[in-house]
Amino acid sequence: MIGLPTLGASVTSAVVTPSSGSGPAAIPEHCLVTGEIRPVDPQAPNIEFKVALPIQWNGKVVMFGGGGTNGVIPNVTGGALNTDGAVTPLGRGYAVFGSDSGHQGPGASFALNREAHLNYLGDALKKTRDAAMFIVRKSYGRAATRAYFMGTSSGGREALVVAGRWPTDWDGVVSLYPARNTTVLDLGLVAANQVLAAPGAFPNPAKRTVAYRAALAACDGLDGIKDGIISNLAGCYGAFRLESSTLDGAPVRCPNGADTGDACLSDAQLLALRKLDGPVEFGYTLANGESSFPGANVLTSDSGTPASSQLSYGSAPPKGATPYPGMSILTALAWEWARHMVTRDASYNALELDVTKPGRFAERLQDLSAFDTADRDLTGFAKRGGKVLLLHGTDDLLISARLTERYYGQLKETLEPAALAEMVRYYQVPGFGHSRGATFVMAWDQLTALENWVEKGVDPANSQVGVDTVGVPGRTRPLCVYPTWPRYRGAGDVNKAASFSCATK
């Protein structure tokens, strides 16, 4: 039975697929079920979903979350993102399922329909879970013994939503760089685009590389070793000032603050970076109780490489129309949100949305922010004995790690210290961006860590290791529980996690 209103669900196909491939990515023999869940509102789209049912079932299930604005069913026969060459959930014998969150295709125009919007915000997760669990029970003749949810970005938000709204449905969740608190997040993204659109303010990728190299020169060694990763963020922010820094003996600030080329930054560009790094005070309190966006670690993050540039600030400043060459994903997401979720006007120029004085859109922002509290109270999940693996990279400029820091602080306010300690492990990964980058792109066997914690009581706090797949492929670092970070011990291979300890200073 589906626990939220629908007009029912149906299976549209069920195909037995033979095993294929080899190694960790091998796909075992399974039945791939495709289905749809029909909305109450005939104008809303269906929820389309898939369930992969292994012939050799281990008695457990995994649900995958989506990404961006969703609209695509996750690859249920593959692995979760950022895994360390681990065997896929399906390969381990899990029944795996996921959905498109209740609309098809990219963009956010679906939000013009209330039921579709509510499905995206979380309702589709419950509907999909219940439909998939029915199929699992009917297929194997018994219910699952364990249920896990794994998600990154929007899927990371979804992982926390299911833990908050339906705590008895899940034993554990993995939430990587969650795109949660979407009203505050998107107000921050709109404000960032406005900063970058100001005359002369946009620092192109080459200039952003200058800024990052200056930060590395000043701060890389603060964690005990110069390895291309700024791990001691607090120490860096206490000592580093971009506008007065030098690089290769030359001032980072252009002569007289004028824009004289890509080897330096103008006063307008230095100010823009400072604004992006600093908080955005809204001047009003949203329905979720928040009144600011905390900024992002712009001054210490690599946003100039092609791998990072598209996600963060692109190669061209924000404009009033979309799409256009050089546009960043950050800009595209902010525009979609402003046009379809706030103003509900597909032709609206998001650069005109004043985040400090929203005027006729103030009530709409209040309505939207009321949904952002669905994951705030995890008391029920704690009582159920659920476990949360929460992780964010410090170099993420699409979804600020500071938002997740704030969320973790809010959990401390709603949960007893003992309950929080039993339920959540929050890791911050220095140098890691939003699933991609050039400094440190981390892989980690999240599912094994969650399984061992839930099923065997093995606390992952001080035993997890991340593997770099891009910066120095194969190097490892300990995953340090927030607020600690990896400090070099003073001896040993700089590319081995064993040479580092988790420190606060």
Side-chain angles (χ1 to χ4, degrees), residues 344-361:
R344 290 174 279 198
D345 178 356
S347 64
Y348 186 80
N349 181 357
L351 289 173
E352 297 177 0
L353 178 61
D354 189 338
V355 302
T356 64
K357 297 178 181 178
R360 61 192 175 99
F361 303 119

Side-chain angles (χ1 to χ4, degrees), residues 15 23 195 278 364 372:
V15 180
V195 167
R364 178 62 176 165
D372 294 335

Side-chain angles (χ1 to χ4, degrees), residues 322-386:
T322 183
Y324 60 89
M327 181 182 191
S328 70
I329 294 176
L330 179 149
T331 300
L333 290 176
W335 267 219
E336 286 293 310
W337 176 78
R339 289 174 169 178
H340 295 119
M341 296 190 186
V342 180
T343 68
R344 290 174 279 198
D345 178 356
S347 64
Y348 186 80
N349 181 357
L351 289 173
E352 297 177 0
L353 178 61
D354 189 338
V355 302
T356 64
K357 297 178 181 178
R360 61 192 175 99
F361 303 119
E363 184 176 354
R364 178 62 176 165
L365 291 176
Q366 295 294 338
D367 291 342
L368 289 170
S369 69
F371 292 105
D372 294 335
T373 60
D375 60 4
R376 186 78 62 81
D377 185 359
L378 298 187
T379 304
F381 201 53
K383 289 180 178 178
R384 189 245 197 284

